[in-house]
Amino acid sequence: MSLYHDAARFLSPSNRQSGSLKTQVFGNKDLKSSPKQVYAIAAEASQWSPILAHVVEKSQLLQHERKLTPSLALLLVHDLLLSKSGIAASVTHPLRQAVTRHKARLTAELTKIRIKKGFGSINELRNHIAKVDVDETEGKAPSAASPKQVQHPRWARINISKSTLDDQLQTTFAGFEIVDSLEQILLAEPATKILYVDQHIPNLIALAPATDLSKTAAYRKGYIILQDKASCFPAYLLDPKVEDGVCLDACAAPGNKTTHLAAILKSQDRTRGKARIWACERDKVRAGVLSDMVALAGCQDIVTVRAGQDFLDLKSEQSPWNEVGSLLLDPSCSGSGIIGRNDGHTVTLPSTIQNAQMPERSRKRKRHVKTNSKTIADKAGQEISQPGDGPIQLQARLKALSAFQLRLLLHAFRFPNARMISYSTCSIFAEENEHVVVAALQSSEAKQYGWFLHLRDEQITGMKTWPVRGDIQACQHRLADDISGAEQIAEACIRCLPGTKDGTQGFFVAAFIRRCQKVVSAVDSNYSQMGSPVMASPMRDSSAVEEDEDWNGFSDSN
């Protein structure tokens, strides 16, 4: 029963923690149950809460069973009526009995609201809930003529450290139809058993939005990893090579990108055993999550987790850090590109009535609890965005974030034997993306250490063919009147836009390549014959990249 008590705290109105539900659950150190189980039941119950709150109220469950809280009632009724395995507690447990003895009435109320909303079965209602938010009152059934909404697909990366795409197609996805386009996935019913093999990232598949892989053996054993397509871009663009030396993931937790790097390197190094990845995570708790992820993915033989290690404290000129040949840098950001991040976590709870005999027309309206989406970076740097801020507060935050991000990127430039760096954010704001890239190119470190932008024509095939590129106007803003330079930089940058038919979250990635080590004049604003600018005209607002801000830690996004 601890599972339900753990989950209930995240649905309770008294739980006013900041951040997304996922961040709250996986960042909580006091859970007695598995965070994955807690998150799964809390998220599912929240999705169903407008319906279940109505069912609980109509059945007067809370009036008959005083030991139940609204949150516990929501979770227990969900599993009683909707979970295949039922309530995860002993049949003699008092809280389980408090719900099961009302099963007939609860089932009847669920049937009534299902029929009133125009759905012929629970599966039809389930599909509807997976596609859109159900109206919090007894709303009408959606019109059959209404157009289908574009969904965000369920992305899964086949972990080639343990399996292959062919193996998974023949086992885990044996009953799935392979379709020819991503659009078929986006427009499908949420639980349809179809999949699309991505054309940009190797070993990545898209599934219908409500596809649940969490209970499959492949997921539990680490053969497949749930990872948004855009989140796969940094490791794939970096394209690390075993012969280049150690690959360093500077901001590694929770580990999706780390394990993707490992899969890429292990595919090159099946027999030699020379591939090495160092994964830094300054927060020791989150480093534990990272270690678990690395172990599950089967890449602990080449990944060394540096728990408690702040990337900015690394002495790049000293051993062993001078062995680093490539760096993946995915620092704290606003998280503004994450789908659902700015919408908050919404739960509809059943109301508690003091008098069970109160006429129905006098009953209180059920409460709607929306977790506070305003957050600031805590000591672990887990959340940055504050969607409720006004323009002034937002600009102040973006200014501070861009300073942190540039500081990290310039530190990466100082690693003497590095040849490639990927820089990425899950942000839609130019201040964290193109502005940081241009500032880095204009820096003395780029001149001194010979860093250039990795041009589109040089990028690995899947990234070269990705159609959405950087914002030219955002680049030009930092380059004054240098239009050709802005176009060149924007073309080298890669963007993903949320809520489009590309099926990705909002994301940005660019790569830097080291071509020479000689010091270039700090006043030279010309472009080299290699085609990538190192220094351009001064930025219009140099204060946007101040480096004297306090450090906010790392992000857990994607």
Side-chain angles (χ1 to χ4, degrees):
M1 190 56 70
S2 61
L3 171 63
Y4 298 101
H5 286 291
D6 281 341
R9 73 176 72 176
F10 299 103
L11 306 188
S12 171
S14 61
N15 180 56
R16 296 291 183 175
Q17 298 181 37
S18 60
S20 65
L21 176 62
K22 188 173 185 179
T23 296
Q24 291 182 44
V25 172
F26 284 89
N28 193 297
K29 306 174 187 178
D30 301 322
L31 298 180
K32 295 180 181 179
S33 303
S34 162
K36 289 183 179 180
Q37 290 180 312
V38 173
Y39 174 70
I41 187 174
E44 180 76 6
S46 298
Q47 196 175 38
W48 278 88
S49 65
I51 292 289
L52 295 181
H54 175 85
V55 169
V56 170
E57 288 181 354
K58 286 290 187 180
S59 67
Q60 295 190 345
L61 177 65
L62 293 175
Q63 288 69 55
H64 292 294
E65 304 293 343
R66 299 288 183 175
K67 63 177 70 68
L68 292 175
T69 65
S71 299
L72 276 174
L74 198 70
L75 292 162
L76 291 167
V77 170
H78 172 274
D79 276 10
L80 176 69
L81 301 181
L82 300 168
S83 173
K84 292 181 180 179
S85 55
I87 296 175
S90 167
V91 293
T92 60
H93 195 285
L95 289 181
R96 173 169 178 159
Q97 291 180 339
V99 175
T100 55
R101 57 174 154 256
H102 301 280
K103 183 175 181 179
R105 180 66 187 274
L106 291 165
T107 302
E109 293 298 340
L110 179 60
T111 301
K112 287 179 184 178
I113 192 171
R114 171 178 61 77
I115 293 173
K116 189 165 187 176
K117 285 181 171 291
F119 296 100
S121 67
I122 285 294
N123 282 337
E124 288 183 16
L125 179 58
R126 191 188 304 274
N127 287 339
H128 173 72
I129 289 174
K131 290 178 67 175
V132 294
D133 290 332
V134 180
D135 185 60
E136 63 193 16
T137 59
E138 297 179 38
K140 297 180 180 179
S143 168
S146 60
K148 291 188 175 182
Q149 296 187 7
V150 175
Q151 305 293 302
H152 187 75
R154 171 78 67 187
W155 291 101
R157 175 170 59 83
I158 310 303
N159 178 21
I160 59 174
S161 293
K162 280 190 167 184
S163 186
T164 66
L165 176 61
D166 287 341
D167 285 346
Q168 290 306 305
L169 292 179
Q170 295 171 19
T171 55
T172 306
F173 304 105
F176 284 67
E177 176 190 356
I178 300 176
V179 297
D180 297 327
S181 71
L182 179 61
E183 185 176 10
Q184 292 172 267
I185 300 288
L186 300 176
L187 297 178
E189 292 298 320
T192 307
K193 297 183 73 172
I194 59 175
L195 68 81
Y196 171 72
V197 179
D198 189 65
Q199 301 300 300
H200 296 99
I201 303 294
N203 305 300
L204 184 70
I205 60 174
L207 304 147
T211 305
D212 183 8
L213 300 176
S214 63
K215 297 180 178 64
T216 63
Y219 176 76
R220 294 195 304 269
K221 294 179 180 180
Y223 296 164
I224 57 176
I225 293 172
L226 302 183
Q227 184 172 1
D228 189 79
K229 176 175 178 175
S231 176
C232 297
F233 282 19
Y236 183 55
L237 178 62
L238 186 63
D239 190 26
K241 306 297 182 185
V242 173
E243 57 269 23
D244 290 334
V246 177
C247 182
L248 177 63
D249 189 344
C251 320
N256 280 352
K257 298 178 184 69
T258 308
T259 56
H260 192 193
L261 286 172
I264 293 171
L265 285 171
K266 291 184 81 168
S267 68
Q268 306 171 17
D269 193 41
R270 293 291 184 189
T271 58
R272 291 178 291 172
K274 295 182 179 180
R276 288 180 296 163
I277 297 171
W278 294 337
C280 293
E281 178 49 61
R282 71 189 297 268
D283 183 81
K284 292 185 177 180
V285 174
R286 297 180 69 234
V289 176
L290 171 62
S291 295
D292 291 343
M293 181 67 181
V294 167
L296 179 65
C299 52
Q300 63 269 42
D301 55 330
I302 69 169
V303 177
T304 300
V305 175
R306 303 277 180 166
Q309 178 63 66
D310 190 328
F311 173 67
L312 289 173
D313 290 338
L314 299 183
K315 307 298 182 184
S316 58
E317 298 283 348
Q318 298 179 9
S319 179
W321 308 110
N322 57 6
E323 301 175 35
V324 170
S326 58
L327 298 95
L328 189 150
L329 186 61
D330 186 66
S332 299
C333 72
S334 65
S336 51
I338 298 176
I339 291 177
R341 166 66 59 84
N342 293 341
D343 297 334
H345 165 50
T346 304
V347 184
T348 302
L349 293 177
S351 63
T352 304
I353 310 302
Q354 298 301 319
N355 183 356
Q357 303 303 317
M358 183 180 296
E360 185 172 317
R361 64 178 179 272
S362 301
R363 300 177 72 183
K364 297 179 183 177
R365 294 173 63 91
K366 54 183 172 284
R367 292 173 291 168
H368 308 284
V369 181
K370 187 168 183 177
T371 61
N372 187 359
S373 62
K374 283 192 174 184
T375 62
I376 57 175
D378 59 16
K379 62 182 179 181
Q382 295 176 337
E383 291 286 345
I384 303 297
S385 70
Q386 294 191 5
D389 283 343
I392 296 177
Q393 293 90 338
L394 176 61
Q395 286 304 312
R397 182 162 297 104
L398 293 178
K399 179 178 178 180
L401 283 168
S402 66
F404 299 141
Q405 294 152 355
L406 180 61
R407 186 181 177 195
L408 285 169
L409 186 50
L410 297 185
H411 186 60
F413 280 178
R414 300 184 183 103
F415 283 73
N417 291 309
R419 56 164 285 276
M420 184 80 83
I421 299 167
S422 68
Y423 170 76
S424 58
T425 75
C426 50
S427 170
I428 61 174
F429 295 119
E431 289 87 343
E432 301 177 88
N433 300 329
E434 289 89 353
H435 290 188
V436 171
V437 167
V438 174
L441 291 171
Q442 293 175 316
S443 69
S444 59
E445 286 84 356
K447 285 286 188 179
Q448 180 178 353
Y449 296 103
W451 286 100
F452 292 75
L453 199 57
H454 192 39
L455 300 180
R456 181 174 185 174
D457 289 344
E458 303 168 325
Q459 293 168 5
I460 195 166
T461 302
M463 297 291 88
K464 183 191 308 182
T465 58
W466 180 253
V468 187
R469 313 309 290 191
D471 187 332
I472 295 177
Q473 291 184 340
C475 296
Q476 189 175 353
H477 176 75
R478 293 293 178 181
L479 292 172
D481 298 323
D482 190 353
I483 298 176
S484 61
E487 291 175 344
Q488 189 176 41
I489 293 174
E491 190 70 7
C493 296
I494 295 168
R495 271 188 175 267
C496 298
L497 304 178
T500 70
K501 291 186 178 181
D502 291 326
T504 66
Q505 296 187 350
F507 207 82
F508 174 89
V509 63
F512 299 84
I513 188 168
R514 190 176 193 168
R515 303 190 190 278
C516 60
Q517 293 184 334
K518 70 177 183 177
V519 177
V520 183
S521 170
V523 297
D524 182 10
S525 61
N526 294 323
Y527 296 95
S528 72
Q529 292 180 351
M530 301 172 215
S532 178
V534 172
M535 176 70 76
S537 54
M539 292 183 299
R540 291 180 175 177
D541 180 11
S542 60
S543 64
V545 292
E546 294 168 354
E547 298 186 12
D548 57 354
E549 304 281 354
D550 292 333
W551 171 238
N552 269 2
F554 297 123
S555 169
D556 65 345
S557 298
N558 301 310

